[in-house]
Amino acid sequence: MHVVSGKGGTGKTTLAAALALALAAEGGRTLLIEVEGRQGIAELFGMAALPYEERKVATVSPARLGLPGKGGGQGELYALAIDTELALLEYLEMFYKLGRAGKALQKVGFVDFATTIAPGVRDVLLTGKACEAARRKGPDGRPAYDAVVMDAPPTGRITRFLNVNSEVAGLARFGPIHSQAQAVMRVLRSPETAVHFVTLLEEMPVQETVDGITELREAQLPVGGVLVNMVRPPVLDAAAVAAVHGDHREEVAVALGEAGLGGRSRKPETVRAAVEPLLGPLLEQAREHAERVELEREQRADLQQLKLPTYELPLLGEGVDLGGLYRLAGELKRQGAA
């Protein structure tokens, strides 16, 4: 099971979906789970809102991701948006055989009351449903899914979200609640689970990633890799970045003239007058870019200190449509994230 977290605005849902596609390209069955009720998965795949059922959203092969085929045929990607109320009714039926009584509780508002008055109940249901899918067996005794990917809550909430069953197991010393909580924690703490963090090469997302990984390790939860999203290609080489803060107006003016931006005149003063309006904006952009490159260098150094697998995904200037999602999935596959 792959749990994907990250600071808001880093593209967490997008990369969770891309990772699920990359895993599905192995030729098996992958389930992508959404737990925050935003229907972000449906939006990415251009679908109507997902119901509370596992629904196939894509058939994928290495070729579809722009990779050479490796055999194994096509894989299938399923998606599930967990509805908390329905998950609680399912839980009551599974462990307490309430049947119609459970539906009656829903009518009188008990389900909404239970998940509101005790917010931890909601997280128990969400993690429990994801872990049930991860350990479910088919009629042939084989796992129903080869991989499960959870688009999880943001970095600041991820450790408590994943560790809530440990607290529940401590409160309920025996009975089905205790057993279920223990079963969920066995899945979450097993070597078969990995929690990945999505970040940008910016100070706040990187710091939240570092803090989140520290909290996970303290809680003895398994850390996976770091997915660095929206990476911009460098425009200036290292020498240009180092020189950008000097006084280079004359050199830039000459270079612009040689590039033909000064018109047909060969007189230096004419060329200089023609390119003069361009010098200020160009040099300012160069300085801004150099500062960005330096900031990204510092953030990469902070991430390297985590000593975790790190994968970099490009900034898609046109935005992330379905084609862009497959492109990101192919990039994750090429870098060995799946």
Side-chain angles (χ1 to χ4, degrees):
M1 184 161 75
H2 300 264
V3 180
V4 181
S5 183
K7 178 176 166 55
T10 59
K12 172 177 65 71
T13 299
T14 298
L15 291 197
L19 178 61
L21 281 170
L23 290 164
E26 293 288 334
R29 286 163 51 97
T30 297
L31 176 64
L32 173 61
I33 296 177
E34 178 178 293
V35 300
E36 294 187 275
R38 294 185 293 105
Q39 289 291 341
I41 294 173
E43 184 178 347
L44 279 171
F45 286 93
M47 303 171 58
L50 290 169
Y52 182 52
E53 64 181 37
E54 293 158 25
R55 175 170 294 187
K56 186 162 77 170
V57 295
T59 301
V60 60
S61 65
R64 182 69 178 84
L65 303 185
L67 303 170
K70 299 179 182 178
Q74 295 184 324
E76 297 177 327
L77 176 61
Y78 289 75
L80 169 67
I82 300 180
D83 181 284
T84 311
E85 286 195 9
L86 295 179
L88 179 54
L89 292 175
E90 185 180 55
Y91 180 89
L92 294 173
E93 168 61 21
M94 185 179 300
F95 292 100
Y96 294 96
K97 311 299 181 187
L98 288 186
R100 291 181 180 177
K103 294 181 180 179
L105 290 173
Q106 183 184 28
K107 288 182 179 179
V108 299
F110 168 78
V111 174
D112 186 53
F113 171 77
T115 55
T116 301
I117 200 69
V121 170
R122 180 179 181 277
D123 292 348
V124 166
L125 295 168
L126 296 173
T127 53
K129 181 62 179 177
C131 289
E132 180 276 324
R135 65 176 187 259
R136 187 191 311 157
K137 296 290 194 296
D140 58 358
R142 293 167 55 86
Y145 292 103
D146 298 279
V148 173
V149 179
M150 182 199 298
D151 176 22
T155 313
R157 208 165 73 80
I158 187 63
T159 301
R160 182 170 178 78
F161 172 77
L162 295 177
N163 213 32
V164 67
N165 285 277
S166 181
E167 298 176 12
V168 170
L171 293 172
R173 299 287 182 177
F174 54 88
I177 294 178
H178 177 80
S179 300
Q180 168 70 0
Q182 283 193 319
V184 169
M185 290 313 300
R186 280 196 295 271
V187 174
L188 293 177
R189 286 203 168 115
S190 78
E192 299 299 315
T193 295
V195 184
H196 309 290
F197 285 82
V198 179
T199 187
L200 306 179
L201 288 175
E202 297 175 0
E203 189 173 358
M204 286 188 64
V206 167
Q207 187 58 55
E208 282 204 20
T209 297
V210 172
D211 293 343
I213 289 170
T214 300
E215 289 179 3
L216 275 187
R217 286 171 169 165
E218 290 174 350
Q220 299 180 337
L221 290 163
V223 180
V226 178
L227 311 179
V228 184
N229 199 17
M230 304 184 205
V231 176
R232 308 179 190 186
V235 178
L236 304 179
D237 60 24
V241 169
V244 75
H245 292 293
D247 183 8
H248 301 284
R249 294 182 70 88
E250 290 299 329
E251 297 168 64
V252 173
V254 171
L256 292 176
E258 291 175 349
L261 295 181
R264 296 183 179 180
S265 174
R266 295 186 179 180
K267 295 181 179 180
E269 61 273 16
T270 304
V271 172
R272 178 57 187 263
V275 301
E276 180 65 32
L278 301 175
L279 293 178
L282 280 174
L283 291 170
E284 180 60 28
Q285 284 191 9
R287 281 190 289 272
E288 290 176 359
H289 180 74
E291 290 171 0
R292 170 114 196 149
V293 169
E294 184 59 34
L295 172 65
E296 291 179 350
R297 185 182 296 121
E298 293 171 359
Q299 302 313 310
R300 275 195 181 94
D302 288 344
L303 293 175
Q304 287 170 0
Q305 291 180 8
L306 296 170
K307 300 187 184 305
L308 292 172
T310 302
Y311 313 95
E312 294 199 0
L313 291 307
L315 172 67
L316 303 182
E318 65 278 10
V320 182
D321 56 9
L322 196 54
L325 188 63
Y326 276 88
R327 179 182 167 189
L328 293 173
E331 193 60 41
L332 285 171
K333 192 78 174 166
R334 268 188 290 272
Q335 295 183 39

